[in-house]
Amino acid sequence: MAARAAALLGLVLLAGPAPSSSSWGSPAAGGGGGGGGRGRDADPGGAQAGEQRQRHDSSYGTFAGEFYDMRFLSDEGYPFPTAPPVDPFAKIKVDDCGKTKGCFRYGKPGCNAETCDYFLSYRRIGADIEFELSAETDGWVAVGFSSDKKMGGDDVMACVHDDNGRVRIHHFYNVGQWAKEIPRNPARDEEGLFENNRVTCRFKRPVKVPRDETIVDLHLSWYYLFAWGPAIQGSITRHDIDSPPVSERVVSIYKYEDIFMPSAAYQTFSSPFCLLLIVALTFYLLMGTP
């Protein structure tokens, strides 16, 4: 706005005031008879030029004042405030998990959206579902909607970190173990961030969509497949772990839960074999040797 104002003022200065009959006065204005006329003819650059400059200065000052008041002042006469900087990505809130949104956490017990190996949240907003995804990777993080717990024939939304540092939302369809990108992308209002070796994103997707083979209605319940991995020139490659986590049961968007799944490093003692081994060792120690 300031540049445009300066340009307009420059044009006014170059053009000067518009001539009119009143600028030159009338014979009567200089006094009666020819004496007044002879005075003006004898001194063309005197009083007349001074009057011209005065009127020009006055016209310029009036224009500048009115222009500034119109363009740069609010109704109360104060300069318009400068808009505050926009936060590029609002931090994911985990305190709302299980209350106003559903969450899945995979990793260390007690982890949050910035420390879990994988994090996902969902919540209904009108006719949309807002998803938040985050994973410890420099490539991509995704969620798949599946009718079973196996990869193949699944609708997938992925947040991909490209070589330009941007995080974009892509739509894929799993064909066996291979993810095929689908041009029809239901995501909107997308945001993404790559920071501290984490890919984080937020986007909305309609609850109900015209259904075809590659896209599902989210008002129905589905198993959620969680995956993340590296990317090469903005294209996803195989996920980081051989058996990515899957929701234990189908997920309903109308039910908010806060579900934690321990990563492999924290589920050693929860496997059936390890529990059996612990029971056997305990029994052996209690009974003693014969």
Side-chain angles (χ1 to χ4, degrees), residues 84-92 130 132 165-167 169 189-195 200-203:
V86 178
D87 188 351
F89 193 93
K91 184 177 179 180
I92 296 177
E130 182 184 75
E132 297 174 315
R166 299 170 299 185
V167 176
I169 316 301
D189 297 341
E190 58 185 68
E191 304 174 72
L193 175 69
F194 177 69
E195 190 175 64
T200 306
C201 65
R202 179 184 293 114
F203 62 91

Side-chain angles (χ1 to χ4, degrees), residues 17-222:
S20 66
S21 60
S22 61
S23 300
W24 300 100
S26 63
R38 286 193 299 272
R40 284 194 297 272
D41 293 339
D43 187 16
Q48 181 180 347
E51 182 181 357
Q52 241 185 289
R53 285 195 300 271
Q54 183 179 2
R55 291 183 180 179
H56 174 77
D57 293 343
S58 177
S59 300
Y60 170 76
T62 302
F63 170 80
E66 291 177 353
F67 185 85
Y68 182 84
D69 290 343
M70 178 179 65
R71 292 282 183 172
F72 297 100
L73 294 183
S74 64
D75 293 338
E76 292 77 20
Y78 298 100
F80 288 112
T82 303
V86 178
D87 188 351
F89 193 93
K91 184 177 179 180
I92 296 177
K93 298 179 180 179
V94 296
D95 294 339
D96 299 333
C97 292
K99 301 173 184 177
T100 59
K101 64 183 178 181
C103 297
F104 287 90
R105 315 184 199 205
Y106 177 85
K108 181 180 179 180
C111 66
N112 57 36
E114 298 176 353
T115 57
C116 288
D117 294 352
Y118 178 99
F119 177 90
L120 175 140
S121 77
Y122 63 91
R123 64 169 177 158
R124 300 184 312 277
I125 302 178
D128 295 331
I129 298 294
E130 182 184 75
F131 288 96
E132 297 174 315
L133 282 73
S134 181
E136 187 175 349
T137 180
D138 63 355
W140 56 273
V141 54
V143 57
F145 310 105
S146 177
S147 59
D148 53 27
K149 294 185 176 183
K150 299 178 182 179
M151 184 177 175
D154 311 311
D155 177 1
V156 177
M157 302 299 298
C159 308
V160 184
H161 175 226
D162 62 23
D163 291 344
N164 295 321
R166 299 170 299 185
V167 176
R168 297 294 178 85
I169 316 301
H170 297 259
H171 182 214
F172 294 92
Y173 179 74
N174 284 341
V175 180
Q177 300 294 311
W178 175 62
K180 175 184 177 183
E181 184 163 6
I182 306 300
R184 181 187 174 193
N185 190 344
R188 57 174 174 250
D189 297 341
E190 58 185 68
E191 304 174 72
L193 175 69
F194 177 69
E195 190 175 64
N196 299 325
N197 199 41
R198 291 191 72 88
V199 174
T200 306
C201 65
R202 179 184 293 114
F203 62 91
K204 294 186 181 73
R205 170 173 160 157
V207 174
K208 296 183 179 181
V209 293
R211 187 175 178 182
D212 61 28
E213 183 184 11
T214 63
I215 193 168
V216 301
D217 274 343
L218 293 179
H219 76 280
L220 301 175
S221 297
W222 305 92

